[in-house]
């Protein structure tokens, strides 16, 4: 508990610093705010503020571990849910390593069922993504031990890049309508503030989710497929490729995939040995004939099955893995920009869209920049913070900069020493 | 962008009485509800009644009358529909008017079609993008999304559309189809009047006749909502899978649990029974399940009653499985259930 008190002191000092400023979201006073209280670990909801100064003084008084605001705008943000008067919501996207299978989460994420009566004595446990419910007992409470590594960030950054491509080229949002943030843990938030999407209901947002996630995509050119059927050439897929939207995505994706393909990769996809051979030896010719000219049925040995496997694979590569629930929920609470994350002590931090590739969250989102602390680290992998490399540690006492000590304590991997 | 001003003539208003100009036209006529029962205006009332009858019987609005009868018969028909206080009739009428309009839309010139769309506050233009057919229109993303909510065919999914920098590109027939949706929605809203005024006797009498007619047409059961007996054999495939998972104590995610629970509750299964359906492995879990079920039923927590998500939502979250022939014709698992029940002989089990 002493460690948590020490972290609390740091959070307090951060919010009480005269230099602290809260970056207001658009339509500040029409939003609902919510605080997760540090000590009580209880959520205080349905708050509203007239000015960001009023919000800051509330932060300074309450010292929450986490601060949220609604993506929605309300007539009465502090009323009960059914009396709030919903008047619109930003379009928000959450891309989080919690939900995306990364090659690192099996390495650094663990979970254990928190049900005292779990069928597995002591609680079932595992590595990787935390299940929604315990496979043994169906319990929904878990103790988790997660970590945010550079690979987590790289993976979510790639997904974010794909999303941004769709948001600008397909959806036509301008760079000043799109706000990009590091989430404070291990992912990105993208908020779109645009008047025409503000009023979209859940159904409409779901269509957007489906677009981004590639759900329901019809890859074929229907007319040409029908005529192929009439000519009894049913074995030929006729993909609809083009210059815009998903048609462009599929076209470029298939072209790139084939030009860069290796035989083993093709076979791994499930392409027959013979098919892989033909494709591999005639890459450029096949790309020209099929993908550029649409003469799908002119390559012997590369038929429907093969094309389908390639197209499906390309589609899976092109989608952006977002949290589908967040985007379709028009009442969602989302972490407030410029506030501390209770699991890391890092900030949710905005950066310009164009800096996605250069913004390093482990530098740019660091809040605690002064002081050091002596901690006893139980175990921690190697990590980087503010450009310095630490660890790995195993049961050892070290003196660390405040930010690193806070991170390890909040992650349950260290205790502060007097 | 150059916008030609299209003036709507009375002939247009007779075809499209839902346009904004109709209100001005009506004002010039100076109609009062009480007068409708007077002989001079009997023709309007008769035509209005016919609109509704044709809608109920054939999803059609009947032969057009002369302009000064035809145009006012539309707002009067709206009033009659409200007076029936029957949601089936209202829905059916809105659908009939919208379908009728769709037929007319298809034959309109591009300019006139865009004028109608703009009357609905759409942001619409002729295509100027190279590489997309010249006779295509473009509409804003929001206009498109607002109007595909009830369209089931996968060709309407946004992902299967040309979406370029916030504009959705459509050919005329598709614009017409989306306008049909908007007509229906707008009429639905007008029919959804919270406080219906007192109507004069003759109007109530016609309304009662229409209700009788509707009952004959579709039977009491559907008009009064969901039957209270649960028939498991009419479960849609998605629910059947969830039922199997629940009764065998298999893992169910949040969306699955919610869907299953709200489905059973909506078709009339009492909350205790629903909770019992989940085979649980511990006391703690049984309590949790009961709490969740009661929460969804509206007796705990929020107090709101929940209905299950639509098919497209279930598809998004991967809950739609084994969809069959009947699925192709429904948008909602509840809808599937109702239809399937009607197709089945009435052997029902009390689940
Ligand atoms: S289509 Fe609808 S009703 Fe049929 S299985 Fe899918 S979700 Fe269920
Ligand atoms: Zn368990
Ligand atoms: Zn990682």
């Amino acid at each position: 508990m002493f460690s948590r008190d020490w972290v609390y002191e740091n959070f307090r000092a951060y919010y009480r610093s005269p230099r602290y400023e809260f970056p207001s979201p658009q339509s500040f006073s029409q939003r609902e705010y919510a605080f997760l209280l540090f000590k009580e670990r209880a959520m205080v909801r349905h708050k509203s503020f007239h000015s960001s100064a009023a919000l800051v003084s509330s932060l300074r008084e309450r010292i929450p571990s986490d601060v949220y605001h609604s993506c929605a705008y309300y007539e009465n943000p502090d009323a009960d849910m059914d009396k709030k008067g919903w008047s619109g919501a930003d379009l928000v996207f959450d891309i989080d390593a919690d939900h995306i299978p990364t090659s690192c989460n099996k390495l650094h994420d663990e979970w254990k069922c928190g049900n005292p009566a779990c069928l597995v004595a002591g609680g079932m446990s595992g590595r990787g993504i935390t299940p929604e419910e315990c496979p043994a007992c169906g319990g929904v409470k878990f103790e988790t031990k997660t970590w945010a590594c550079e690979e987590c960030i790289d993976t979510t950054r790639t997904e974010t890049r794909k999303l941004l491509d769709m948001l600008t080229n397909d959806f036509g949002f301008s760079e000043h309508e799109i706000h990009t943030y590091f989430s404070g843990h291990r992912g990105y938030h993208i908020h779109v503030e645009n008047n025409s999407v503000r009023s979209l209901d859940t159904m409409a947002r779901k269509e957007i989710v489906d677009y981004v996630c590639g759900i329901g995509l019809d890859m074929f050119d229907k007319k040409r497929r029908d005529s192929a059927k009439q000519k009894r050439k049913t074995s030929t897929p006729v993909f609809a490729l083009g210059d815009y939207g998903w048609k462009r995505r599929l076209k470029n994706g298939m072209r790139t995939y084939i030009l860069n393909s290796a035989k083993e990769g093709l076979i791994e996809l499930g392409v027959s040995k013979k098919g892989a051979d033909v494709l591999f030896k005639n890459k450029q010719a096949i790309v020209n004939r099929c993908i550029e000219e649409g003469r799908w049925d002119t390559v012997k040995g590369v038929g429907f099955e093969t094309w389908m496997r390639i197209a499906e694979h390309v589609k899976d590569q092109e989608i952006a893995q977002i949290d589908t629930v967040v985007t379709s929920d028009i009442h969602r609470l989302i972490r407030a920009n410029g506030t501390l994350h209770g699991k890391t002590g890092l900030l949710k931090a905005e950066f310009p869209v164009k800096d996605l590739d250069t913004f390093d969250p482990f530098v740019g989102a660091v809040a605690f920049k002064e002081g050091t602390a002596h901690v006893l680290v139980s175990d921690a992998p190697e990590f980087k913070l503010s450009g310095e490399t630490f660890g790995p540690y195993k049961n050892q006492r070290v003196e660390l900069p405040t930010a690193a000590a806070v991170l390890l304590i909040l992650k349950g991997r260290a205790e502060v020493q007097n | 962008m150059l916008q030609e001003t299209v003036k709507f003539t009375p002939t247009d208003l007779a075809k499209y009485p839902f346009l904004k100009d109709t209100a001005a036209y009506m004002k010039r006529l100076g109609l009062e509800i009480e007068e409708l029962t007077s002989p001079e205006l009997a023709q309007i009332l008769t035509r209005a009644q016919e609109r509704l009858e044709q809608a109920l019987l054939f999803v059609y609005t009947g032969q057009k009358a002369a302009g000064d009868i035809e145009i006012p018969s539309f707002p009067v028909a709206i009033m009659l529909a409200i007076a029936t206080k029957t949601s089936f009739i209202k829905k059916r009428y809105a659908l009939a008017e919208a379908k009728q309009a769709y037929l007319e839309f298809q034959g309109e010139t591009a300019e006139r079609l865009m004028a109608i769309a703009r009357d609905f506050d759409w942001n619409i233009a002729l295509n100027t993008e190279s590489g997309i057919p010249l006779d295509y229109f473009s509409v804003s993303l929001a206009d498109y999304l607002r109007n595909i909510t009830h369209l089931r065919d996968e060709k309407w999914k946004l992902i299967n559309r040309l979406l370029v920098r916030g504009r959705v590109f459509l050919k005329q027939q598709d614009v017409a189809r989306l306008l049909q949706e908007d007509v229906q929605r707008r009429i639905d809203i007008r029919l959804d009047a919270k406080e219906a005024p007192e109507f004069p006797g003759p109007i109530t009498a016609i309304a009662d006749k229409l209700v009788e007619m509707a009952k004959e047409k579709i039977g009491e059961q559907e008009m009064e909502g969901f039957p209270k007996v649960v028939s498991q054999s009419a479960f849609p495939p998605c629910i059947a899978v969830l039922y199997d998972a629940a009764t065998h104590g298999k893992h169910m995610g949040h969306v699955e649990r919610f869907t299953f629970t709200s489905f059973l509750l909506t078709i009339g299964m009492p909350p205790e029974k629903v909770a019992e359906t989940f085979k649980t492995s511990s006391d703690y879990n049984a309590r949790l399940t009961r709490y969740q079920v009661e929460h969804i039923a509206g007796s705990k927590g929020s107090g709101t009653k929940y209905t299950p998500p639509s098919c497209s939502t279930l598809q998004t979250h991967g809950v739609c499985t084994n969809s069959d022939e009947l699925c192709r014709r429904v948008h909602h698992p509840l809808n599937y259930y109702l239809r399937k029940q009607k197709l089945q002989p009435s052997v029902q089990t009390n689940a």
Side-chain angles (χ1 to χ4, degrees):
Chain A
M1 211 51 218
F2 180 72
S3 292
R4 221 176 140 74
D5 287 341
W6 180 79
V7 172
Y8 175 83
E9 295 300 325
N10 278 289
F11 271 48
R12 186 170 64 185
Y14 184 77
Y15 285 125
R16 291 196 178 171
S17 152
R19 271 169 302 155
Y20 180 71
E21 271 178 50
F22 178 78
S24 296
Q26 168 180 294
S27 307
F28 173 85
S29 59
Q30 293 173 42
R31 311 239 187 200
E32 173 195 352
Y33 293 81
F35 300 145
L36 187 62
L37 299 181
F38 213 105
K39 300 216 156 152
E40 297 83 347
R41 300 209 187 185
M43 188 77 129
V44 180
R45 287 198 57 179
H46 311 301
K47 293 280 152 204
S48 78
F49 299 95
H50 295 298
S51 65
S52 75
L55 171 70
V56 170
S57 71
S58 186
L59 285 180
R60 286 179 172 155
E61 190 187 316
R62 292 176 184 270
I63 315 298
S65 63
D66 300 84
V67 182
Y68 305 90
H69 66 66
S70 60
C71 64
Y73 309 94
Y74 299 107
E75 277 151 31
N76 312 299
D78 45 4
D80 281 348
M81 216 56 214
D82 48 340
K83 299 199 182 72
K84 275 185 159 49
W86 187 87
S87 63
D90 300 332
L91 183 62
V92 298
F93 299 91
D94 178 14
I95 293 178
D96 193 314
D98 282 356
H99 304 290
I100 303 174
T102 59
S103 51
C104 55
N105 62 28
K106 282 250 177 338
L107 295 177
H108 56 55
D109 293 357
E110 294 164 31
W111 54 268
K112 187 155 102 35
C113 174
N115 174 7
C118 184
L119 293 190
V120 175
M124 188 168 190
S125 62
R127 288 187 157 270
I129 295 179
T130 307
E132 272 186 77
E133 286 175 17
C134 172
C137 69
V140 292
K141 288 222 164 105
F142 295 95
E143 290 161 26
T144 56
K145 212 168 170 187
T146 61
W147 190 252
C149 76
E150 286 184 27
E151 191 178 334
C152 295
I153 299 299
D154 283 345
T155 308
T156 52
R157 186 188 283 130
T158 303
E159 299 304 312
T160 305
R161 196 181 300 122
K162 290 186 280 183
L163 174 65
L164 289 172
D165 172 63
M166 294 188 210
L167 292 181
T168 48
N169 289 317
D170 301 12
F171 289 90
F173 300 121
S174 66
E175 285 211 2
H176 63 264
E177 292 169 320
I178 301 174
H179 298 267
T180 39
Y181 309 86
F182 168 61
S183 71
H185 187 200
R186 46 179 186 174
Y188 293 89
H189 292 172
I190 294 88
H191 301 195
V192 179
E193 298 179 346
N194 164 294
N195 280 336
S196 69
V197 294
R198 234 175 125 134
S199 58
L200 294 181
D201 63 8
T202 300
M203 289 295 289
R205 285 166 203 251
K206 226 184 42 53
E207 272 310 312
I208 296 177
V209 170
D210 288 354
Y211 192 97
V212 168
C213 299
I215 294 167
L217 176 65
D218 180 6
M219 300 190 281
F220 299 108
D221 181 328
K222 207 159 175 304
K223 261 198 218 132
R224 289 187 51 195
R225 190 180 40 181
D226 288 349
S227 80
K229 253 188 205 152
Q230 267 167 16
K231 291 184 207 141
R232 295 173 178 275
K233 285 182 166 179
T234 43
S235 58
T236 319
V238 182
F239 294 101
L241 307 181
D243 301 329
Y244 298 105
W246 267 99
K247 289 188 164 58
R248 165 180 68 98
R249 228 160 253 122
L250 273 185
K251 184 173 184 177
N252 293 347
M254 286 172 83
R255 184 197 291 121
T256 312
Y257 179 81
I258 293 174
L259 292 179
N260 298 329
S261 62
K263 254 193 244 174
E264 302 74 50
L266 286 163
I267 289 166
E268 228 170 85
L269 267 195
V271 174
S272 72
K273 246 197 154 97
K274 187 172 161 244
D277 230 39
V278 175
L279 269 167
F280 188 74
K281 287 197 184 121
N282 307 285
K283 284 178 180 178
Q284 191 63 56
I286 289 177
V287 164
N288 290 347
R289 241 199 247 175
C290 303
I291 294 176
E292 309 296 349
E293 294 167 28
R295 291 155 60 212
W296 297 100
D297 50 353
T298 57
V299 183
K300 261 222 177 93
V302 181
F304 185 80
E305 272 291 308
T306 303
W307 282 119
M308 277 312 286
R309 286 181 198 258
I310 294 174
E312 287 289 347
H313 173 76
V314 166
K315 185 188 98 178
D316 291 343
Q317 297 296 306
E318 296 289 327
I319 64 173
Q321 301 190 61
I322 57 170
D323 185 327
T324 56
V325 177
V326 171
T327 304
S328 42
D329 183 352
I330 57 169
H331 298 287
R332 194 79 182 183
L333 290 172
I334 189 122
R335 186 175 301 282
N337 181 24
T339 63
L340 297 165
H341 195 302
K343 276 188 201 158
T344 60
L346 295 170
L347 291 165
K348 171 163 173 177
E350 180 164 17
F351 56 87
V353 174
K354 62 172 176 26
D355 293 351
L356 177 67
D357 289 326
T358 52
F359 177 82
D360 180 351
F362 297 125
V363 176
V366 173
F368 307 111
K369 298 201 169 122
E370 281 156 25
T372 58
H374 293 271
V375 288
L376 173 61
V377 187
S378 54
D379 82 299
E382 183 181 302
F383 63 101
K384 271 195 198 161
L385 215 52
S386 297
E388 241 187 286
T389 306
F390 305 94
Y393 303 120
K394 188 93 198 165
N395 298 320
Q396 69 197 90
R397 273 168 228 281
V398 275
E399 183 179 1
L400 291 176
T402 306
V406 166
L407 174 69
L408 292 186
I409 291 168
L410 287 172
K411 285 278 170 201
R413 293 166 191 262
E415 296 291 341
V416 79
Q417 306 281 291
N418 312 30
Chain B
M1 144 190 18
L2 198 77
Q3 289 191 7
E4 288 201 33
T5 30
V6 173
K7 274 236 177 277
F8 294 119
T9 62
T11 321
D12 291 327
L13 294 186
K15 277 198 275 181
Y16 311 120
F18 40 77
L19 292 175
K20 286 182 184 130
D21 283 357
T22 299
Y25 183 90
M26 291 296 291
K27 234 192 197 135
R28 261 178 277 134
L29 282 185
L31 274 181
E32 295 284 331
I33 291 189
E34 296 78 57
E35 292 173 46
L36 280 176
T37 52
S38 70
E40 296 85 346
L41 297 167
Q43 275 178 294
I44 296 176
L45 191 55
T46 308
R47 173 72 183 109
Q49 179 178 351
E50 188 191 35
R51 283 187 111 98
L52 280 153
E53 286 172 356
Q54 294 288 319
L56 282 176
L57 296 174
F58 311 114
V59 204
Y60 176 56
T61 56
Q63 285 289 319
K64 288 198 178 12
D68 50 355
I69 292 172
E70 184 66 13
I71 300 169
S73 76
F74 172 73
V76 173
I78 295 264
M79 202 181 67
L80 272 179
I82 294 174
T84 67
K85 300 189 177 111
T86 307
S87 70
F88 173 79
I89 297 179
K90 295 182 190 174
K91 288 236 142 59
R92 185 84 165 196
Y93 177 58
L95 177 67
E97 287 287 352
K99 283 203 153 170
Q100 190 63 39
Y102 173 62
L103 295 179
E104 308 277 5
F105 291 152
Q106 283 173 300
E108 286 296 356
T109 61
E111 280 68 35
R112 206 160 281 261
L113 196 69
M114 288 197 291
I116 294 165
R118 290 192 183 118
D119 196 72
F120 284 175
D121 303 316
W122 284 27
N123 180 334
I124 186 170
L126 279 173
N127 169 37
T128 53
E129 194 83 34
S130 68
I132 296 173
L134 269 177
D135 57 347
Y136 270 44
F137 297 79
S138 79
V139 303
S140 75
L141 176 68
D143 289 330
Y144 183 77
L145 290 179
R146 199 174 30 249
N147 291 300
I148 57 161
T149 316
H150 301 289
L151 299 175
R152 178 89 164 104
D153 194 299
E154 70 169 13
K155 78 168 191 174
W156 293 107
K157 282 197 74 59
L158 182 64
I159 194 171
N160 293 322
R161 287 287 158 180
L162 265 174
L163 173 64
V164 185
R165 289 186 285 279
R167 310 286 300 175
V168 181
F169 289 83
L170 304 165
K171 54 182 187 221
Q172 170 146 358
Q173 200 190 348
D174 289 344
V175 173
R177 185 64 187 80
L178 292 183
L179 277 173
Q180 176 193 331
E181 289 295 301
D182 213 350
V183 171
Q184 188 173 353
R185 191 166 55 94
R186 279 157 197 273
I187 296 179
D188 274 336
I189 291 171
R190 286 173 72 168
L191 293 176
D192 197 24
K194 285 277 167 317
E195 292 156 54
E198 275 293 313
F199 293 107
I203 289 196
T204 329
I206 298 175
D208 288 346
K209 250 172 76 189
L210 289 167
V211 173
E212 275 313 304
M213 196 173 174
K215 276 190 186 155
E216 256 166 54
K217 173 92 184 149
I218 60 161
E220 303 261 345
Q221 196 191 43
E222 192 166 322
M223 272 186 49
E224 274 152 27
F226 289 93
K228 287 285 170 264
V229 189
V230 170
S231 91
Q232 207 177 303
S233 53
F235 282 176
C238 51
I239 302 294
V241 168
L242 295 178
Y243 186 85
D244 190 66
T247 49
H248 289 86
K250 281 194 207 138
H251 168 79
M252 286 168 91
H254 172 77
V255 183
E256 275 106 353
R257 251 171 199 274
F258 174 78
T259 306
F260 183 61
T261 307
S262 56
F263 181 88
L264 293 183
L265 290 168
T266 313
I267 62 170
M269 197 188 263
E272 317 81 65
K273 287 261 181 196
V274 177
E276 279 168 24
T277 312
F278 288 93
K279 179 175 174 251
T280 46
S281 38
S282 71
D283 264 6
Y284 168 84
N285 258 311
R287 267 204 315 281
L288 193 74
T289 301
R290 246 188 335 271
Y291 178 84
Q292 282 178 338
V293 169
E294 282 169 9
H295 185 89
I296 295 171
S299 51
K300 281 251 165 60
S302 70
T304 346
K305 266 203 165 64
Y306 297 97
T307 45
S310 65
C311 292
S312 65
T313 303
L314 294 175
Q315 279 149 15
T316 302
H317 298 299
V319 181
C320 168
T321 31
N322 309 341
S323 65
D324 61 16
E325 259 310 298
L326 185 50
C327 285
R328 295 165 61 104
R329 283 176 283 146
V330 300
H331 303 226
H332 201 285
L334 285 173
N335 208 249
Y336 181 108
Y337 180 74
L338 277 182
R339 288 203 181 199
K340 184 74 171 270
Q341 260 194 335
K342 268 200 279 179
L343 298 175
Q344 284 176 344
S346 55
V347 205
Q348 293 173 331
T349 50
N350 254 309

